Amino acid sequence: MGRTVFVGLVMLSMAVTSLAPQAGPVIIDTPMPAPTWARLERQLLADNVPACREFFQKYYDSRGYLQAFLRWGANDGPDDAFENFNRWPELHALGADDEIVRLYLTAWEGMIRQYSEAKTRDVPAGRDGMYVDDFSAQSDWMHHGEGLQLFNRMALSVPDLPAYRERARRFAALYMGEAPAAPNYDPKRRLIRSMINGSIGPMLRPATALDWVGDPFDTAGFVALHGESTYKQFLEHYQEYTNVVGDHFLNLVATTLPTNAYMVTGEAKYRHWIVEYMDAWLDRMKQNAGIIPSFVDLDGKIGGPTGRWWENAYGWGFSPINPVTGRREDRNRIPRALVGFSNALLVSGDHKYVDAWRDMMTAVNSHARTTDGRTEYPTMRGADGWYGWQREPWSVGALEVWYWSMRGEDRSRVGANPWVDYLEGRNPSYVETVLQREVESIPRKLAAIRNDKTQPDKRLADNMLDLNPAATDALVRLMLGALVPGREGGLLNARLRYFDPARRRAGVPEDVAALVSELGDRRTAVTLVNLNPAIARDVIVQAGAYAEHQLESVEWGGQSVRVGAPHVTVRLAPGAGARLTLTMRHYVNQPTVAFPWTR
């Protein structure tokens, strides 16, 4: 199935015969000796492919079915199966071989079928299939988001894939009031009705430990990565996860689905819904002293009748007992909500969403206290007030806010960050160090894969998460000038992307390497080099992961050209390279997953 889908995509792409009008090409003919960083980038793109192939062949069959003991649950459920392909979409979109797409599409279709066929016995929500209509039957958006990373980022490489485009519409409908069988959204009150929701609708009762854990099973011979050794401990882990009814900041991750559909179709209704839902949350933050609540009841009241805005599982006041250690652990999952703010900025270009998060950091830190002459800042809020004290100011989202705004005041909140320090000229060894580290990680992962003696019937879906060899973090930062997409399930925040017009695909052409060395409010600097001494290469440079930015001009080697478009073609002579300074405006174009030559 995966191979058929991929071949169909290639035929669609080859049907396109001409590029849309654009400036250029920019001609780079200055010789550049091959930099070490460029050779390391090309090595990473090459070495990842056979390692990923070996991972796939060990843990998946030819249908794309995971070779493991399938379970429903937040510990090792369907989301973990799909997470085994984290970073694979980014890997191909950077320029790795097309085999990466063939493998992950085979697994994507295979696992959707596999988890649709898999049913629970005791857990009510999964009795008709852990997946229903190709989507998780019911879960929270921490786990939905983790399991949708592959889906949400595959459009970086396969935006015209019919199965992707159809599912993008259908999945968005689940959260826009357009799916009668899944009434997750209340359009009157602009809220998602439960923090547990999915293709069969919202859970409108207290959750049980069984709902979270899945059917009983004999744990003997299994390795549970959360530390549990008995099924009883599995249940004890989730005893306090009962409060789920009502809207929750975790649900902001759901905005990714209409964002996908908007970038596929361009239909205004998707943008309208995202803005409508996110603006409802901005209103709630204003009513709640600038802080996003984790509980909005079904009537739309913040904190319900008693005003306990910090409630619900994974909320501001969620510190359940870990049965393995016997201690309470703070499990506030507010970083996940950043996805919604990112999506709203992407589709609207309105920085009020950035302002709201910045203001929330200030609001949380305003509750600091002084103990023994030292200032402490809270991270949690419960019935007895603020707690979870730490020495540093609360800075969740500081890197994202700076990246979106490029303002000096936001940079100061980020603090020491090796990548940002490098961009500011203070960490010159960073590039080669992180690239070499990732090159060396691949054989270590391969050795661990080969030494893994677990049998499929005693293997859980999450047992191989740390064995996934795809190494892309350094490439994402250095080639794209991007934030590394996290497990939250959000989209790619990138200053640049590249396309190969000769092969009609995403990613840098063969032999080409790219290094972003400066990010600013209006300027981005990138070095492009062609390592092939005999063949010229053309590369399309796009402003933004989804053409959301606008290129105004390109300067290099004393030359300049005006662009006035989201992308420009650069022709690299054999063995040539140059540092380009790009002037651009951010978040001014309607985002799209379409490739440059189809726009």
Side-chain angles (χ1 to χ4, degrees), residues 210-247:
L210 178 68
D211 291 321
W212 287 95
V213 170
D215 291 350
F217 73 111
D218 182 358
T219 61
F222 288 94
V223 177
L225 298 187
H226 293 269
E228 300 91 343
S229 58
T230 65
Y231 181 74
K232 180 174 180 289
Q233 280 190 333
F234 274 70
L235 292 174
E236 290 172 347
H237 184 107
Y238 290 96
Q239 286 298 331
E240 298 181 55
Y241 287 59
T242 55
N243 295 334
V244 300
V245 178
D247 212 347

Side-chain angles (χ1 to χ4, degrees), residues 236-534:
E236 290 172 347
H237 184 107
Y238 290 96
Q239 286 298 331
E240 298 181 55
Y241 287 59
T242 55
N243 295 334
V244 300
V245 178
D247 212 347
H248 191 294
F249 58 62
L250 274 178
N251 288 331
L252 272 63
V253 185
T255 59
T256 308
L257 299 179
T259 303
N260 290 334
Y262 181 56
M263 293 195 295
V264 162
T265 68
E267 294 179 19
K269 70 174 184 176
Y270 297 111
R271 178 188 180 279
H272 174 77
W273 185 88
I274 296 161
V275 170
E276 172 187 271
Y277 184 56
M278 286 302 303
D279 283 358
W281 277 98
L282 292 195
D283 291 343
R284 292 163 190 151
M285 292 172 74
K286 290 177 183 177
Q287 296 173 45
N288 199 47
I291 297 172
I292 194 168
S294 53
F295 173 42
V296 179
D297 75 7
L298 294 178
D299 292 326
K301 184 173 178 56
I302 297 170
T306 60
R308 297 166 69 89
W309 56 267
W310 54 83
E311 287 199 338
N312 272 359
Y314 293 128
W316 278 102
F318 191 59
S319 300
I321 291 177
N322 182 335
V324 177
T325 64
R327 295 190 296 269
R328 291 199 175 273
E329 296 179 355
D330 296 342
R331 294 191 188 143
N332 173 341
R333 294 295 184 259
I334 193 170
R336 308 280 173 139
L338 279 160
V339 172
F341 292 78
S342 178
N343 291 334
L345 173 64
L346 178 65
V347 303
S348 73
D350 195 329
H351 277 257
K352 69 182 181 182
Y353 302 105
V354 184
D355 297 339
W357 197 279
R358 180 190 300 111
D359 291 345
M360 179 164 62
M361 286 190 283
T362 300
V364 171
N365 288 319
S366 72
H367 295 279
R369 71 182 185 184
T370 300
T371 303
D372 296 329
R374 294 190 176 187
T375 303
E376 296 179 331
Y377 302 87
T379 61
M380 305 287 291
R381 173 62 158 86
D384 297 326
W386 291 94
Y387 67 103
W389 302 97
Q390 61 182 19
R391 296 284 173 81
E392 297 298 322
W394 190 79
S395 59
V396 169
L399 179 63
E400 288 81 358
V401 167
W402 167 78
Y403 186 86
W404 296 328
S405 77
M406 289 282 109
R407 287 164 53 170
E409 65 182 89
D410 293 328
R411 170 63 182 96
S412 64
R413 289 189 180 91
V414 176
N417 180 291
W419 172 53
V420 179
D421 291 342
Y422 154 71
L423 293 171
E424 296 173 341
R426 293 194 306 277
N427 191 0
S429 65
Y430 173 76
V431 174
E432 292 181 14
T433 299
V434 297
L435 288 171
Q436 185 64 44
R437 184 184 304 143
E438 294 212 337
V439 166
E440 294 170 355
S441 74
I442 295 175
R444 288 199 301 271
K445 291 290 182 71
L446 277 174
I449 292 168
R450 293 165 184 168
N451 290 330
D452 179 13
K453 306 304 181 184
T454 59
Q455 296 301 307
D457 64 339
K458 292 295 183 180
R459 186 185 295 150
L460 298 174
D462 62 354
N463 282 166
M464 64 288 293
L465 283 179
D466 291 336
L467 302 181
N468 175 5
T472 61
D473 287 5
L475 294 174
V476 165
R477 290 191 184 100
L478 297 175
M479 294 180 69
L480 308 182
L483 297 175
V484 174
R487 294 182 64 194
E488 297 84 1
L491 300 169
L492 178 65
N493 279 266
R495 189 62 55 87
L496 300 176
R497 274 192 69 202
Y498 312 100
F499 299 87
D500 183 347
R503 294 186 295 167
R504 291 293 196 267
R505 55 153 289 177
V508 291
E510 295 174 290
D511 308 311
V512 172
L515 177 64
V516 173
S517 56
E518 180 186 341
L519 295 181
D521 182 33
R522 296 296 300 277
R523 286 165 48 97
T524 297
V526 60
T527 299
L528 297 175
V529 58
N530 177 10
L531 301 182
N532 193 303

